[in-house]
Amino acid sequence: MKPITSTLLCVTLSLALGMPAQGADQAVPGKQQKATKQDKASKRTPKSALPQSLAPHPDATDSKELTGQIVYQVLLAEVALQRGRNEFASQAYADLAVRTRDPAVLERAIEVAGYARRFDRVLALARLWVQVEPDSKRAQQVLVGVRVLTNQLDGLAPQLITMLAADQPALPGNLLALNRMFARSPNRKAVLQLISTVGERFPDLPEAHYAIAVAASSAGEHERALAEARQALALRPDWQIGALLEAQLLTQKSPADGIASLQRFVDKNPQARDAQLHLARALVSEKRYAEAKRLFEQLLQAYPDNPDVVFPVAILALQENDTALAEAQLKHLITLDFPDKSAAYYYLGQVAEESQRADDALVYYQQVSPGDHYLPALIRGAAILAKQGKLDDARSQLNAAAARDPQLRVQLLIAEATLLREANQAATALALLEHELSEQADQPELLYESALLAERLGRLEVMEKRLRKLIALQPQSAQGYNALGYSYADRNMRLAEARELIETALKLAPNDPFILDSMGWVLFRQGELEGALTHLQRAYAQRPDAEIAAHMGEVLWMLGRTEEAQRTWREALERHPESVEIKETLKRFSP
């Protein structure tokens, strides 16, 4: 018996996808195969070319006539497959399999029924195959596979146990694969019951307890999952997979408990690299950067050329503003052998840009391939060109990228409009977006960005109309409510309505720093200074943005806390030396 991971699981997936489970020379539906001389000769299909076990049914009166019919039906079904007539081919093979009861024909009929997505037929044929060949391991595997695929789990445990026990060397791996077999099943409780029944037959194997733990977690039985994971670790105390599962389960309720669990395991097993990596990442997630940094430094000494170590070290260095270490590790990373280096090039571009090395940044951004970092790399590269006075080149690059990938067209148009706005060409930017809106009148991002540009140009009626349309299109999105409410508050008009709009936005996104800023500003306009300060401080703690700092300083000033206000503005100006908001605010409140 082959391991479940390589046979039974493949059978299940092949039936689901309509692909052959074995036999590369079998016909593929919908493809015209290249004919060789041997293929052409096979069109005559002598009896010897059929499965060796193929024979007329004992009741047949004319075996020659029946064999001829079989040959004809096989050819008819295969031609139908090549022409994409999967249902016709499946029915023809099913009829032939039932008449001949031949194992080879049954197996082929099952595959063709899979192509046709006729899993009811697959199940019936698999059951027939087991009747015809009760000792066939392949037939048993197919029957189990199709029962898994069709979620017929009742009574399946004995067959699974027998198949698992028949291949002792592969038993641990097959137990670990059990949950993958049932990944599509919607009834997680039934899966847990089945895997529990199977796993309980192998109580001395940690993999059995692991399988039950995973199934219990999927079924929402957290305490049982944790108990089974701990039993697996009791059987094999140095098992990293078990330790990671225990930590994952603990983290669901308490990240600190998950970290403590991994720390205990790593202390006892200092060579457990995967557990150390997960521990370091967990520490980063909990913003325990100093502890994470120490652990990553240890890992870096032990595994200096491992991308799984080098990349997190670089990212952590970026988070701590250690650009020298970050750049060194990122440069080392791109010399290592791993598939996608785009993230490394992107972050190298950021480091170079922040270090005022614009040309280096452009080179790095240009090496970012399509993926998660592709769009931001394009936009940042274009922004660098614009700052260098090469606005036309920047726009050309964005337009060329949009032509290559139309799915990015809207985001790239908005980026182009942003460059135009920053170059004091807001009217041109608005015209660009309005031209696209004439083609996509309900595109939310275009409505939002064009509304902000219209406001900048004093076209308040256009701004209000588009934001209200955005709210109607996306009533569960906070963006439109916040933009409209803030616009009213900033102009000190319709404050009751502004507050209502911002309160709605805050309910939809209670921790958004910009919405908190809007709430603080409308409260300030209404004279509720203490409430305004509370919201602005929360906003600034999450995002030390220049505009938020300007608002917070103004509220502090009005509360008589002038020194704090001045300090807030000075710190913000150091952080954002080009901020127009901070400079104008300082000018207004200068003695």
Side-chain angles (χ1 to χ4, degrees):
M1 171 182 167
K2 296 181 181 178
I4 287 179
T5 50
S6 61
T7 300
L8 180 55
L9 190 58
C10 288
V11 169
T12 305
L13 295 177
S14 67
L15 289 169
L17 299 174
M19 297 291 289
Q22 65 176 19
D25 58 341
Q26 292 166 327
V28 178
K31 286 190 177 181
Q32 186 66 39
Q33 296 175 325
K34 185 177 180 180
T36 64
K37 291 181 179 179
Q38 185 177 357
D39 295 329
K40 293 175 181 177
S42 71
K43 290 183 179 179
R44 293 188 294 274
T45 318
K47 182 178 179 181
S48 59
L50 297 173
Q52 291 182 359
S53 61
L54 186 59
H57 193 276
D59 294 337
T61 57
D62 188 341
S63 62
K64 289 183 179 180
E65 180 182 351
L66 185 55
T67 301
Q69 290 175 353
I70 292 170
V71 171
Y72 174 76
Q73 199 158 344
V74 168
L75 289 174
L76 191 66
E78 292 296 337
V79 169
L81 266 183
Q82 291 184 6
R83 294 179 177 177
R85 299 180 62 192
N86 294 351
E87 172 59 28
F88 181 89
S90 174
Q91 183 63 60
Y93 259 123
D95 291 344
L96 187 61
V98 171
R99 282 197 296 126
T100 65
R101 299 171 66 86
D102 176 82
V105 176
L106 278 161
E107 185 168 8
R108 180 62 174 154
I110 286 169
E111 285 182 345
V112 176
Y115 298 148
R117 319 295 290 180
R118 288 294 305 272
F119 299 120
D120 56 333
R121 189 175 289 159
V122 171
L123 183 60
L125 290 168
R127 284 174 171 157
L128 178 58
W129 189 5
V130 171
Q131 290 176 15
V132 171
E133 279 194 314
D135 296 329
S136 168
K137 292 176 181 177
R138 174 70 176 165
Q140 293 284 351
Q141 289 168 349
V142 171
L143 180 56
V144 169
V146 73
R147 289 188 64 186
V148 170
L149 187 67
T150 54
N151 296 314
Q152 299 189 38
L153 307 185
D154 291 343
L156 187 58
Q159 285 178 282
L160 272 177
I161 292 168
T162 300
M163 293 170 66
L164 288 163
D167 191 358
Q168 288 294 318
L171 179 56
N174 286 340
L175 287 168
L176 290 178
L178 276 178
N179 280 280
R180 285 168 49 210
M181 287 176 57
F182 301 102
R184 295 188 178 191
S185 176
N187 190 341
R188 307 316 301 171
K189 296 288 187 183
V191 171
L192 172 58
Q193 183 177 356
L194 173 61
I195 291 181
S196 295
T197 303
V198 172
E200 286 164 3
R201 291 293 297 271
F202 309 101
D204 297 331
L205 289 178
E207 292 85 359
H209 295 281
Y210 181 95
I212 297 171
V214 173
S217 178
S218 296
E221 296 191 14
H222 179 80
E223 294 304 321
R224 184 176 180 192
L226 191 56
E228 293 289 347
R230 285 173 170 165
Q231 182 60 33
L233 272 175
L235 290 167
R236 189 184 302 169
D238 62 346
W239 196 31
Q240 288 194 80
I241 295 176
L244 293 174
L245 177 60
E246 181 189 28
Q248 178 186 342
L249 292 169
L250 287 168
T251 300
Q252 291 175 8
K253 290 193 173 182
S254 170
D257 287 349
I259 289 173
S261 170
L262 275 178
Q263 185 66 65
R264 288 191 297 270
F265 182 82
V266 166
D267 290 343
K268 294 176 182 177
N269 302 276
Q271 301 305 313
R273 188 192 68 183
D274 289 345
Q276 289 176 310
L277 276 171
H278 278 80
L279 174 57
R281 290 168 184 157
L283 289 167
V284 171
S285 297
E286 291 302 299
K287 299 183 179 180
R288 292 163 62 173
Y289 296 130
E291 296 169 77
K293 186 177 181 180
R294 285 194 297 271
L295 184 52
F296 272 126
E297 286 172 350
Q298 296 171 16
L299 285 165
L300 196 60
Q301 289 181 354
Y303 311 101
D305 296 328
N306 187 318
D308 289 335
V309 175
V310 176
F311 186 61
V313 168
I315 297 304
L316 185 57
L318 283 176
Q319 289 174 328
E320 295 196 319
N321 294 317
D322 188 347
T323 55
L325 175 61
E327 186 168 21
Q329 292 303 319
L330 288 168
K331 285 182 175 179
H332 179 48
L333 185 64
I334 60 177
T335 69
L336 301 177
D337 183 19
F338 72 107
D340 186 5
K341 300 181 181 181
S342 287
Y345 283 122
Y346 177 72
Y347 290 119
L348 278 168
Q350 276 193 321
V351 170
E353 187 179 353
E354 291 169 7
S355 302
Q356 307 301 314
R357 292 183 282 122
D359 291 338
D360 289 345
L362 283 172
V363 171
Y364 287 129
Y365 288 144
Q366 287 166 1
Q367 294 180 79
V368 176
S369 303
D372 291 343
H373 297 93
Y374 180 63
L375 181 61
L378 280 172
I379 293 172
R380 293 181 79 110
I384 289 173
L385 288 173
K387 287 178 182 177
Q388 292 177 333
K390 303 173 184 176
L391 180 59
D392 290 342
D393 290 345
R395 295 182 67 185
S396 295
Q397 285 196 8
L398 293 176
N399 289 330
R404 288 193 304 269
D405 189 349
Q407 290 186 340
L408 299 178
R409 178 175 174 79
V410 169
Q411 293 97 317
L412 292 170
L413 276 171
I414 290 171
E416 185 180 356
T418 300
L419 296 181
L420 289 166
R421 174 177 57 78
E422 291 175 349
N424 296 316
Q425 298 183 37
T428 305
L430 181 57
L432 180 72
L433 297 185
E434 287 187 327
H435 177 73
E436 189 66 21
L437 270 172
S438 67
E439 302 291 330
Q440 303 185 63
D442 293 337
Q443 213 290 330
E445 292 174 85
L446 291 174
L447 286 168
Y448 179 77
E449 296 294 337
S450 66
L452 298 188
L453 280 168
E455 180 189 34
R456 187 183 185 92
L457 292 167
R459 297 172 60 182
L460 301 184
E461 187 177 329
V462 173
M463 177 271 295
E464 184 174 2
K465 181 180 178 182
R466 288 188 180 161
L467 288 178
R468 291 198 181 280
K469 183 174 183 179
L470 178 61
I471 290 169
L473 288 170
Q474 296 186 329
Q476 297 304 311
S477 172
Q479 199 174 39
Y481 298 102
N482 182 58
L484 186 56
Y486 178 78
S487 178
Y488 290 155
D490 198 43
R491 286 172 172 75
N492 206 14
M493 58 184 281
R494 299 166 68 170
L495 293 180
E497 184 179 359
R499 182 167 178 170
E500 184 179 342
L501 286 162
I502 295 168
E503 284 175 343
T504 301
L506 202 56
K507 288 178 183 177
L508 293 168
N511 295 312
D512 187 297
F514 294 113
I515 300 175
L516 287 167
D517 172 63
S518 298
M519 193 67 209
W521 200 234
V522 75
L523 289 172
F524 168 71
R525 292 298 198 195
Q526 291 182 316
E528 299 181 27
L529 299 184
E530 293 292 347
L533 183 60
T534 298
H535 282 84
L536 290 168
Q537 287 173 332
R538 280 184 60 198
Y540 195 67
Q542 291 184 51
R543 188 181 181 97
D545 178 79
E547 187 171 2
I548 298 174
H551 290 163
M552 187 167 70
E554 188 163 345
V555 174
L556 286 167
W557 187 280
M558 298 304 293
L559 285 167
R561 296 158 62 175
T562 55
E563 290 185 7
E564 287 183 67
Q566 290 282 1
R567 185 168 61 250
T568 299
W569 292 326
R570 284 195 302 269
E571 290 174 355
L573 190 60
E574 288 178 8
R575 190 177 280 124
H576 308 282
E578 298 179 0
S579 170
V580 175
E581 292 89 350
I582 292 293
K583 290 178 181 177
E584 289 181 350
T585 303
L586 278 168
K587 186 177 180 180
R588 282 193 294 118
F589 288 90
S590 295

